[in-house]
Amino acid sequence: GGDFNCVLEPADRSGGTSRSGGSEALAAVLDEHGLVDVWRVRHPGACGTSHISRNSSTGARLDRWYISPLVATDPATASEISISVPIRTDHLPVGLSVPAPQVVPVGPRRRHFPTHHLSQPAFIEAISAWLAAELPAVMDAPAATKVQAWAGLKGRLLSFATGLGRRLDREAWARVRAAEAAAAAAHRAFSSSLSADTTAATLLRAALQVVVQAHQARTLRATRAASVLQYQFYDTSTFVF
C-alpha cells in the first residue's frame, strides 16, 4: 500500500487530470503477483479521491492498498478513504481492515481520574462546583470518621469526574463527526467533478481544515495536561489521585 502516483481507471480521476504515467508497469506487477485493489473491490464503480492538488482543482485516488483477492473479498475486509485528518496534508489517509486470524483477549482495565481533562475550563468549573458542595461535609466530619468520609468523597468524585469526562468527550467527538460529515459531502462533490472545479476544490480544502481544527481542539487539552502531569509526577501521574 501507499502513494502510487498514478491511476489505473478513469473513475479514479477528477477534474480532468490524467495520472497515467507508470500505470502500465504497475498493472504488470499486480498481474504478476495476483494482487487486487481492495478499495475498488469493496466499491465497484464508485469515484474516489485521496489526493487534492494544491496548485489546481484536480484530484485522484493515488493512495491504495493491493492485497490478495481471497482477503479482499472477505466480508470482514474493508478499505475506506478517511476524511478524519488531524494534520494538514494534500493526501487523505486510506485505511485497511482485514479479519484477524483469532480473537485477541483483552485484559482488565483500571479506572483512573480523567487527568486529560484538567486543562479544560468546563471540566475544571464543574469539578470545582462539585467539590465546593461536597467538601464541607467531609471537613466537618468527626475525627474518627474523617478518613472514611474522605475515601467516600474520592469515590464519588471519581464517579462524577468520569461521567463528566465522558460527556465532554462525546461532545468533542460530535463536533469532529459533524466536521467530517461536511468534509465527506465536499469530498463526494469534488470527486464527481468531470472538469476542473475551483469552487469544489476550495470548499473541500476548507472543510478538511475544519476537520483538522476539530481534532486539534479535542486532543490539545489532553496533550497539555499530560505534559504538566508528566513533568510533575513522571509515570505515576494517574496514580496520584
Side-chain angles (χ1 to χ4, degrees):
D3 175 9
F4 291 91
N5 215 32
C6 67
V7 297
L8 303 182
E9 300 181 31
D12 292 331
R13 306 191 299 262
S14 63
T17 186
S18 62
R19 292 287 186 176
S20 59
S23 58
E24 292 184 3
L26 175 59
V29 171
L30 299 177
D31 184 63
E32 178 182 355
H33 294 280
L35 300 176
V36 297
D37 178 355
V38 61
W39 190 91
R40 179 56 63 202
V41 171
R42 309 309 298 182
H43 306 83
C47 297
T49 304
S50 66
H51 171 262
I52 305 97
S53 175
R54 291 180 176 177
N55 300 319
S56 66
S57 301
T58 62
R61 191 171 64 88
L62 303 180
D63 309 272
R64 304 182 292 277
W65 290 96
Y66 290 105
I67 63 177
S68 160
L70 182 63
V71 179
T73 54
D74 189 303
T77 297
S79 181
E80 300 293 341
I81 300 172
S82 176
I83 301 299
S84 181
V85 188
I87 61 174
R88 187 174 182 178
T89 174
D90 58 351
H91 282 261
L92 298 176
V94 180
L96 172 65
S97 299
V98 296
Q102 61 181 4
V103 178
V104 179
V106 178
R109 297 181 178 179
R110 289 187 173 184
R111 295 179 60 188
H112 300 294
F113 190 87
T115 53
H116 59 290
H117 284 291
L118 287 177
S119 60
Q120 188 172 4
F123 183 83
I124 296 299
E125 290 173 7
I127 292 295
S128 298
W130 189 93
L131 286 172
E134 296 285 336
L135 268 178
V138 175
M139 300 304 295
D140 295 339
T145 61
K146 194 176 291 289
V147 172
Q148 291 84 349
W150 173 245
L153 175 74
K154 289 205 299 181
R156 296 193 304 277
L157 176 59
L158 177 59
S159 178
F160 174 78
T162 300
L164 174 63
R166 288 174 177 170
R167 178 175 65 80
L168 294 175
D169 282 338
R170 287 195 298 269
E171 292 174 355
W173 272 114
R175 290 188 288 270
V176 170
R177 297 304 181 217
E180 291 177 347
H187 181 252
R188 287 192 296 271
F190 177 77
S191 297
S192 61
S193 308
L194 298 179
S195 59
D197 189 336
T198 303
T199 300
T202 300
L203 290 174
L204 177 55
R205 293 192 189 98
L208 290 172
Q209 183 59 29
V210 174
V211 173
V212 171
Q213 292 169 351
H215 274 288
Q216 290 178 343
R218 187 183 66 82
T219 59
L220 184 59
R221 296 185 298 269
T223 302
R224 287 176 175 172
S227 297
V228 172
L229 288 168
Q230 185 169 4
Y231 176 77
Q232 293 184 349
F233 305 111
Y234 191 49
D235 60 349
T236 62
S237 59
T238 57
F239 295 93
V240 170
F241 176 76

